[in-house]
Amino acid sequence: MGLWKRVRKLMEKPEPVKPEKTPMSLQPGDVCEVSLMTYEIIGRTEWKARSTIWLTLRDGARIQYLQVEKREQWNYNLYEAIDGRLDAVDEVPSEIELDGVWYYMEDQYNGLVQVQGQTPFGVPGEQYVWEYQSDNRKRLRIEWQDGRFQLYEGESVIPADVRVIRQS
């Protein structure tokens, strides 16, 4: 290598450091692994005020949802949509019995959401969420936006079971 090439290399700016891959930075088109299953992310709903995202995952024809919450630790819950109906947003109960399992309200919040890609509610806006947990650690989630309810059933996932594979 010649002297001028060495001098030029010393003067060049170093490559910028790539940001760390975290579940909170996942976008539609990225790929992640949850409990040894590989999913393509096709949608993202974000509550900036809560440091929470709701990812729509696809594995073939199967659609699931991963809730990622950054608190003291990473919290993950994996859900599937279920059939169900509630009549009014002001009549959501604090306890719900579903297929012989009792769910108890754990958290209730609302806020403005931003959406990208294919999500249960395809438009940004005000969204209300009720989260429940049963005695056997099963989870239930109810969402309401623009006069429509969506129900999900799922379970907690340990942080070691969630891995970012490819990020755009």
Side-chain angles (χ1 to χ4, degrees):
M1 184 182 298
L3 179 63
W4 292 113
K5 284 187 180 180
R6 289 182 184 177
V7 170
R8 193 174 325 136
K9 284 218 180 258
L10 288 173
M11 302 297 278
E12 287 179 0
K13 292 181 181 177
E15 275 189 38
V17 177
K18 293 182 181 178
E20 180 183 344
K21 293 180 183 180
T22 67
M24 288 298 276
S25 62
L26 290 170
Q27 302 288 329
D30 295 341
V31 177
C32 71
E33 185 178 276
V34 180
S35 300
L36 302 176
M37 294 291 298
T38 302
Y39 297 98
E40 175 190 6
I41 296 160
I42 60 171
R44 174 187 167 106
T45 304
E46 182 175 6
W47 289 265
K48 289 189 185 277
R50 287 186 59 93
S51 293
T52 301
I53 60 171
W54 180 256
L55 299 171
T56 306
L57 309 175
R58 180 173 57 202
D59 175 32
R62 185 177 184 192
I63 301 287
Q64 290 194 295
Y65 304 91
L66 181 66
Q67 178 188 18
V68 179
E69 199 166 19
K70 177 89 164 108
R71 293 188 181 176
E72 303 88 34
Q73 302 175 358
W74 290 98
N75 291 329
Y76 302 100
N77 297 306
L78 186 64
Y79 291 93
E80 284 191 74
I82 59 172
D83 290 333
R85 188 179 85 114
L86 295 169
D87 294 325
V89 71
D90 57 346
E91 294 178 8
V92 175
S94 60
E95 297 177 0
I96 294 178
E97 188 264 331
L98 184 66
D99 296 332
V101 178
W102 279 94
Y103 292 90
Y104 305 95
M105 189 182 297
E106 184 178 63
D107 198 5
Q108 186 263 324
Y109 55 92
N110 66 305
L112 292 174
V113 295
Q114 297 297 317
V115 297
Q116 294 175 309
Q118 300 170 357
T119 61
F121 299 98
V123 295
E126 180 86 12
Q127 189 174 88
Y128 291 79
V129 176
W130 295 265
E131 294 181 351
Y132 297 81
Q133 185 169 342
S134 71
D135 289 337
N136 62 357
R137 312 268 308 150
K138 292 285 187 184
R139 316 263 319 159
L140 178 71
R141 179 182 173 101
I142 300 171
E143 295 177 345
W144 180 88
Q145 184 177 345
D146 294 331
R148 197 177 102 214
F149 281 102
Q150 187 74 34
L151 283 76
Y152 309 91
E153 192 173 34
E155 56 190 29
S156 296
V157 177
I158 60 174
D161 281 352
V162 177
R163 189 168 67 108
V164 176
I165 294 178
R166 186 188 69 206
Q167 208 167 9
S168 53

